[in-house]
Amino acid sequence: GDFTVFPLHFLGMQAMAVSADDGSHLSVDFDLITTFFSVPPIILGAFVSFLLLHRLYGLDDLWANKLRVLGAGLSTAVGVGAMHYLGLVSICGHFDIQFNFFMIGLTVVLAATFCTVGMIIIFAARGLN
């Protein structure tokens, strides 16, 4: 999954066209080093998630299962968020990028919620607590 998320995200960013107020096309480049460092967070986040979820099998403690699924959802969301925003920071060009930190926080909270709910649905469908 990790080696799918990054290329799809990066190719999606390559498909982006940026225009100035006068309609002229602005060139968008990516800093190679920052782009490179946007890959490990998604790998680490997914690794931690898989590690937590792997330990669900054989656990009878419902509370421990819920905490592991929550941790896996948070780990995945943080990995995806870090990859995404490091990718955005790697954008270079003759323009300014402004970040709304409230919206960044909101997207990370939403990602954590969606990842966790998705994992709950998957494990509920498989009959695990």
Side-chain angles (χ1 to χ4, degrees):
D2 303 331
F3 295 105
T4 304
V5 171
F6 176 79
L8 288 176
H9 185 267
F10 187 72
L11 288 173
M13 294 297 291
Q14 293 292 324
M16 175 182 68
V18 179
S19 300
D21 289 338
D22 63 5
S24 61
H25 178 73
L26 296 174
S27 176
V28 178
D29 295 312
F30 294 87
D31 177 66
L32 185 61
I33 293 171
T34 310
T35 301
F36 174 78
F37 281 109
S38 72
V39 177
I42 187 63
I43 294 171
L44 182 62
F47 176 77
V48 170
S49 294
F50 287 131
L51 185 66
L52 288 168
L53 295 176
H54 173 73
R55 294 178 179 228
L56 281 178
Y57 294 103
L59 283 180
D60 293 328
D61 185 359
L62 181 61
W63 181 247
N65 284 351
K66 288 181 180 180
L67 287 177
R68 288 188 186 277
V69 171
L70 177 63
L74 292 174
S75 176
T76 301
V78 169
V80 169
M83 184 247 349
H84 177 75
Y85 288 107
L86 280 171
L88 288 176
V89 169
S90 73
I91 296 173
C92 304
H94 295 291
F95 48 82
D96 293 326
I97 298 176
Q98 299 176 358
F99 292 101
N100 179 328
F101 292 103
F102 172 77
M103 293 302 289
I104 291 172
L106 181 61
T107 61
V108 172
V109 168
L110 288 172
T113 302
F114 294 143
C115 287
T116 303
V117 169
M119 289 181 190
I120 289 169
I121 291 169
I122 289 169
F123 281 95
R126 297 179 94 185
L128 297 175
N129 293 326

